[in-house]
Amino acid sequence: MPYKKLISDIRLRESTSERERNLIIETESDKARIIFSAPFRRLQKKAQVFPLEQNAAVRSRLTHSLEVAMIGRQIAQKISIKSSNLTQAQKEAFVNIVESACLLHDIGNPPFGHFGESAISEWFKKTGRTSFKHYKKEKPEWYADLERFEGNAQGLRIITKLQSEDEYGLNLTCSTISAYLKYTHPEFERAKHREKPFTKKNGYFLTEKERIEKVWEKLGLQPNTRHPLTFVMEAADDIAYCLSDVEDGIEKKLISVEDIINHIKDEINKTNDETKNVWSKILEKTNQQNLPTNKFITIRTTLINRSTSVAAEHYISNEEKIINNEFKDPLINKNSPEYKILEIIRGFVAKRVYTAPEAELLELTGYSAITGILEKLKPLLDLSQKNFEHLMQDDQKKIKDLNLDKEKRLLNLIPKQCKKSYKKEISSDTLEWFLRAHLVVDYISGMTDDFALDIYQKLSGIKTT
C-alpha cells in the first residue's frame, strides 16, 4: 500500500485501555484524548486575535481550533472519497487523523499568542547576554530553543510528555503526532538549513528530539520529513484564520462587511479574469433576495467550500509526490482564484484588524505580563543545580540553612505535572539547567491570558486577591 505505516494505530506506548482495537477506533480515541484534555480546554481562554475578550461571539483559540478541525475534516473527506490508494478503514482513519491534528495545531500557544512567544524569546535573548551567558555559550544549540520559543514546538512537549500520568503525554498514535508536526527541524538545525522545506519555524525542541525521531522510525518516515496529512491540516488553518479574523473584526465593529467587499473588489481589478469571475459568482450569492444569513457569512461559507475542493483536488493530483516527500507547496494551489482571494483577505486583516489599537494595546499588556512573570521566576534559574535539588526534594533543613524560602514559594507555584516531567527528564548534569528553564516555560505557556495577567499582578504586588 502506498501509505504503508503512515496511517496506523501504532503508539509510542501500547494503550492500556480496555476496548476493541482497530485502526478506526484507535484514531477516534486520539480525538477523545485531545478533547478531554486540560490543555485543549484552556484554549477557551487564550486569544485568537483579541486577548481578554469579554464578547463570547469573538473567537478564542478553542473556537478557532474547532473551526479548523471542521474545515480539515471537509478537505480530508473529499480526498478520501477520490483516493484510490486508501483502504476503507484508512479512509476513515485519514479523516480522524486530520481532524485530530487540526484540533492540536494551537495547543502549545502561550498566553497572548504570538506576542507571548516573542516575550519569552526576547527575555531569554536578553538574559542570555547577561545572567545566562554561560549556558548560552556552553550549549548554544539548546539555548537556541529558548531564544526562539515556538508554540508549535511547545505543543509537541504537551502531547508527548506533559499532559498525562506518565512520560508519554497523551500517548497519541504516531500518525497523529507526526501529522501535527508542521515544521520538521529543531531551531539549531533550522537556523543552519533555512533553505530546506518546512524550516520557517522551530518544529520541536531538542528535549523532544529522541521522541519525534522514534515517531518517524515507527512510521517509516525519514528524519525531518513532513507527514502527508500535515498538508491538509495546514491548508485548513490557512483557510480558517483569515476568514474568522475578518468576521471577528466585523463583530467588534472595527470594520464592516462593506469594507471587506470593497477592498476585495479594488484588489480583484488588478488580477486576471478567472479570479474576477469567481469573485463575481461569490458576490452574486450575497445579493440574492431572502438570504437567510448576512453577506459575510455567505462569502465565508462559499469560500470555504470552494477552497476545500481546490485543496482536495490539489492533494489528489499530487498524492504520489506528497507520499514520497517530493511535494513542498501549500495545498491550496497558488494559481487558483480561491488562493488569490484569500491572500487579498489576509492583507486586509493585517492592515485593518491586527493593527487595531485595542488589539495592539492588549498584546503589549500581555508582553509586559509574561516578561514580568519570567523576571519574578528568574531566581529559580539563578540557583545552582544542588540548591534547586534541595527545593525539589523539599529538604526543609537545607532550605532554611540556605535561605531559600522565597525560591521554594516560587517553585510551589509550578504545577505538579510540570515538575513530574522535569524529574523524569533529568539525565545529565550538563543539561539540567535547560530542563529547569523548560520547566519554567512549561508553566507560563500553559497559562490562559487572564491567569497570566492575574499572576503577574500578584507577583508584582499590584493586587493581593
Side-chain angles (χ1 to χ4, degrees):
M1 293 297 295
Y3 283 92
K4 298 178 182 177
K5 298 178 183 178
L6 293 174
I7 298 176
S8 76
D9 58 1
I10 299 171
R11 300 182 189 276
L12 289 173
R13 171 179 58 74
E14 186 176 340
S15 177
T16 57
S17 300
E18 296 181 6
R19 62 167 182 270
E20 179 187 351
R21 300 195 186 282
N22 60 48
L23 180 60
I24 298 169
I25 289 173
E26 293 304 309
T27 52
E28 283 282 357
S29 174
D30 279 359
K31 284 195 292 181
R33 293 171 190 225
I34 295 161
I35 290 170
F36 282 94
S37 71
F40 186 71
R41 291 195 299 275
R42 283 196 288 267
L43 293 176
Q44 67 187 304
K45 288 199 171 185
K46 292 191 178 187
Q48 171 61 13
V49 176
F50 301 99
L52 307 172
E53 178 58 49
Q54 296 299 309
N55 183 350
V58 174
R59 288 164 177 81
S60 65
R61 287 284 174 181
L62 179 65
T63 50
H64 166 68
S65 296
L66 293 171
E67 290 177 353
V68 173
M70 192 67 251
I71 294 172
R73 185 177 183 85
Q74 191 172 335
I75 300 171
Q77 285 174 330
K78 291 178 179 180
I79 292 170
S80 66
I81 289 169
K82 294 185 178 181
S83 177
S84 59
N85 291 315
L86 297 164
T87 65
Q88 187 54 46
Q90 284 179 326
K91 287 176 184 286
E92 293 188 47
F94 187 104
V95 176
N96 288 339
I97 294 167
V98 167
E99 189 172 1
S100 291
C102 290
L103 290 171
L104 288 171
H105 85 282
D106 272 348
I107 204 162
N109 271 33
F112 302 99
H114 295 306
F115 256 67
E117 290 175 322
S118 296
I120 294 169
S121 299
E122 291 301 319
W123 189 81
F124 276 102
K125 285 178 184 177
K126 177 182 176 182
T127 50
R129 292 191 293 266
T130 55
S131 302
F132 305 151
K133 57 185 176 182
H134 168 73
Y135 302 106
K136 181 177 180 178
K137 181 180 178 181
E138 293 297 318
K139 286 287 181 180
E141 67 274 27
W142 283 75
Y143 203 88
D145 285 348
L146 301 170
E147 286 189 312
R148 287 294 299 269
F149 174 81
E150 170 58 40
N152 290 284
Q154 183 64 27
L156 190 68
R157 272 184 70 78
I158 290 170
I159 65 178
T160 63
K161 284 185 178 177
L162 300 180
Q163 188 52 43
S164 186
E165 293 303 312
D166 67 13
E167 67 271 26
Y168 291 97
L170 294 174
N171 194 32
L172 303 172
T173 62
C174 292
S175 295
T176 294
I177 294 171
S178 186
Y180 160 81
L181 198 70
K182 191 173 178 180
Y183 307 105
T184 57
H185 291 73
E187 176 57 32
F188 193 63
E189 290 180 14
R190 186 198 72 82
K192 292 189 295 183
H193 304 289
R194 295 180 189 274
E195 75 285 354
K196 288 188 176 182
F198 320 130
T199 57
K200 181 181 177 183
K201 295 181 180 180
N202 179 2
Y204 59 90
F205 299 131
L206 291 177
T207 49
E208 283 66 63
K209 189 174 189 290
E210 290 184 10
R211 188 133 300 182
I212 192 59
E213 286 177 346
K214 189 68 174 177
V215 167
W216 287 327
E217 179 187 332
K218 284 182 175 287
L219 294 178
L221 279 168
Q222 290 297 313
N224 307 110
T225 299
R226 182 183 269 201
H227 192 284
L229 276 62
T230 309
F231 288 95
V232 184
M233 178 267 285
E234 182 180 48
D237 187 28
D238 286 345
I239 293 168
Y241 83 84
C242 64
L243 294 173
S244 60
D245 293 352
V246 165
E247 193 168 18
D248 286 348
I250 294 170
E251 174 68 26
K252 289 183 67 65
K253 298 180 171 54
L254 298 173
I255 55 174
S256 67
V257 178
E258 287 70 28
D259 288 337
I260 183 62
I261 290 175
N262 290 334
H263 177 79
I264 294 174
K265 179 182 175 181
D266 291 342
E267 294 298 312
I268 285 289
N269 288 332
K270 303 174 186 177
T271 63
N272 60 43
D273 289 338
E274 186 182 359
T275 306
K276 290 179 185 177
N277 290 336
V278 168
W279 176 244
S280 295
K281 289 177 183 178
I282 294 172
L283 209 54
E284 281 175 14
K285 291 189 177 183
T286 69
N287 295 325
Q288 292 175 3
Q289 296 296 318
N290 302 317
L291 200 66
T293 57
N294 70 43
K295 285 186 176 182
F296 187 76
I297 292 176
T298 304
I299 292 171
R300 182 195 70 202
T301 304
T302 307
L303 264 176
I304 287 174
N305 289 336
R306 294 186 67 101
S307 298
T308 54
S309 293
V310 168
E313 289 166 8
H314 203 42
Y315 186 100
I316 291 297
S317 298
N318 294 277
E319 189 169 22
E320 187 174 339
K321 287 183 177 180
I322 291 171
I323 293 170
N324 293 326
N325 192 35
E326 298 169 357
F327 185 83
K328 315 300 179 189
D329 299 321
L331 205 55
I332 306 173
N333 193 331
K334 288 185 176 182
N335 295 319
S336 68
E338 290 77 10
Y339 179 90
K340 292 173 183 177
I341 293 170
L342 288 172
E343 279 293 284
I344 290 170
I345 294 173
R346 288 189 191 101
F348 178 81
V349 170
K351 290 180 180 178
R352 296 288 301 276
V353 178
Y354 300 155
T355 58
E358 177 184 348
E360 289 190 330
L361 181 59
L362 287 170
E363 284 174 338
L364 290 170
T365 299
Y367 190 98
S368 297
I370 291 177
T371 301
I373 295 170
L374 282 164
E375 201 60 42
K376 294 298 180 182
L377 294 176
K378 184 174 177 288
L380 293 177
L381 299 179
D382 290 334
L383 291 173
S384 68
Q385 180 178 347
K386 194 65 179 176
N387 284 353
F388 188 72
E389 189 178 306
H390 294 320
L391 295 185
M392 290 295 292
Q393 294 173 347
D394 198 20
D395 187 332
Q396 293 297 324
K397 185 177 185 306
K398 287 290 185 180
I399 290 170
K400 183 177 180 181
D401 291 346
L402 296 168
N403 195 25
L404 298 176
D405 186 60
K406 175 187 173 183
E407 287 80 0
K408 181 61 182 175
R409 291 174 187 274
L410 290 173
L411 184 62
N412 286 342
L413 293 174
I414 298 178
K416 291 180 181 178
Q417 187 59 41
C418 293
K419 288 184 276 194
K420 185 186 293 186
S421 178
Y422 163 84
K423 289 177 182 178
K424 288 177 179 175
E425 285 191 276
I426 292 177
S427 60
S428 70
D429 293 348
T430 308
L431 299 180
E432 185 279 331
W433 184 87
F434 292 98
L435 298 179
R436 200 191 318 168
H438 278 287
L439 169 66
V440 170
V441 175
D442 289 341
Y443 171 49
I444 294 173
S445 66
M447 295 178 179
T448 59
D449 296 353
D450 55 348
F451 184 78
L453 184 60
D454 183 65
I455 285 291
Y456 166 64
Q457 290 174 336
K458 286 176 178 177
L459 290 175
S460 301
I462 297 171
K463 70 176 188 179
T464 57
T465 58

